[in-house]
Amino acid sequence: MKYQVITIGHEYGSGGRKIGKLLAKKLGYKYYDSKITAQLAKESGYASEFVKENSEYGDTNTILFGFNNWSSGGITPIDQLYVLQRNLIIKLADQEPCVIVGHCSDYILRKRNDCLNVFIHSDIEVRAKRVTDEYHEDLKNPIKELDKRDKKRKTYYRYYTNGKLNDLSNYHLCIDSSNLSLDDCADIIYDMVMKTK
């Protein structure tokens, strides 16, 4: 099979994680997302919450984020996490066929010929409904919170890749999950993988 690794970048609340799990199950591939966070916590010695907050999210003030990361003259804890994350993602991709969600995996694995990079996006209203109804997050203003999370993810991605998270040219396939079921989205990716043997 041509695509041994599928990366899934996504907007928060678009269903990217669930789509990744469904796809991995259909393909018989390993699924990596929260396992990456857990492994990073184990390898770095940092608390899981710290790793979760700093392995995909950056301060929306890019100058401040960059200053905090490099001003000490050495590698900071957040930079250490990125290096560990990068090495772990490369190792996982080399080990076995897998689906990797987030963590700049599309960028980290961009030179591989056997990697399919997918981006899942959705209307913000649909995402807000999913976050409150399915993720059961009690948010005062879901749309405002989603916008804030999007900005933090974009800042992190831009800082470590010098690119844009939602630049569609980074991906082989982009899916709008607004009017599709998550199963349908997984089926679309599955069909693409199966047709490129």
Side-chain angles (χ1 to χ4, degrees):
M1 195 173 293
K2 181 180 178 183
Y3 295 121
Q4 296 296 305
V5 183
I6 294 97
T7 71
I8 298 183
H10 63 103
E11 294 176 324
Y12 190 82
S14 64
R17 286 188 166 88
K18 180 83 183 283
I19 292 165
K21 284 181 186 174
L22 291 166
L23 177 65
K25 188 173 181 182
K26 285 176 75 69
L27 290 168
Y29 283 17
K30 286 285 190 180
Y31 171 80
Y32 295 108
D33 180 21
S34 57
K35 287 181 186 176
I36 291 174
T37 304
Q39 187 64 31
L40 288 173
K42 184 178 173 184
E43 288 183 23
S44 67
Y46 296 123
S48 295
E49 227 15 74
F50 176 83
V51 173
K52 188 177 178 183
E53 281 300 311
N54 292 287
S55 63
E56 285 197 273
Y57 294 96
D59 191 308
T60 50
N61 182 332
T62 311
I63 295 169
L64 182 60
F65 182 66
F67 182 74
N68 287 340
N69 274 14
W70 296 105
S71 63
S72 65
I75 192 164
T76 68
I78 297 171
D79 296 327
Q80 288 173 352
L81 281 180
Y82 179 76
V83 172
L84 287 172
Q85 176 175 272
R86 180 187 174 280
N87 294 341
L88 178 59
I89 286 170
I90 291 169
K91 180 181 169 186
L92 294 172
D94 285 341
Q95 275 179 187
E96 59 197 338
C98 59
V99 175
I100 303 174
V101 177
H103 301 280
C104 299
S105 54
D106 63 292
Y107 176 80
I108 292 166
L109 302 175
R110 69 195 180 282
K111 293 183 180 176
R112 291 182 67 114
N113 293 326
D114 63 346
C115 183
L116 175 69
N117 296 318
V118 178
F119 188 74
I120 309 294
H121 61 100
S122 187
D123 292 340
I124 198 157
E125 293 83 9
V126 173
R127 292 164 52 210
K129 184 170 174 33
R130 183 174 287 126
V131 166
T132 53
D133 294 354
E134 294 177 33
Y135 302 176
H136 306 292
E137 290 191 29
D138 186 21
L139 303 175
K140 209 171 200 179
N141 187 334
I143 291 176
K144 188 176 179 180
E145 181 60 31
L146 285 174
D147 186 53
K148 182 178 165 186
R149 289 182 192 185
D150 286 345
K151 285 177 181 170
K152 286 181 148 193
R153 277 189 174 179
K154 288 174 184 175
T155 297
Y156 182 89
Y157 190 91
R158 184 173 57 244
Y159 183 79
Y160 285 110
T161 71
N162 202 28
K164 293 182 179 179
L165 177 64
N166 59 346
D167 180 352
L168 304 185
S169 67
N170 294 338
Y171 307 97
H172 301 107
L173 177 64
C174 298
I175 300 174
D176 183 344
S177 64
S178 302
N179 297 309
L180 293 169
S181 73
L182 301 186
D183 284 296
D184 287 341
C185 294
D187 287 344
I188 290 167
I189 304 166
Y190 176 83
D191 288 346
M192 183 169 179
V193 171
M194 297 311 288
K195 285 176 182 175
T196 50
K197 292 183 178 180

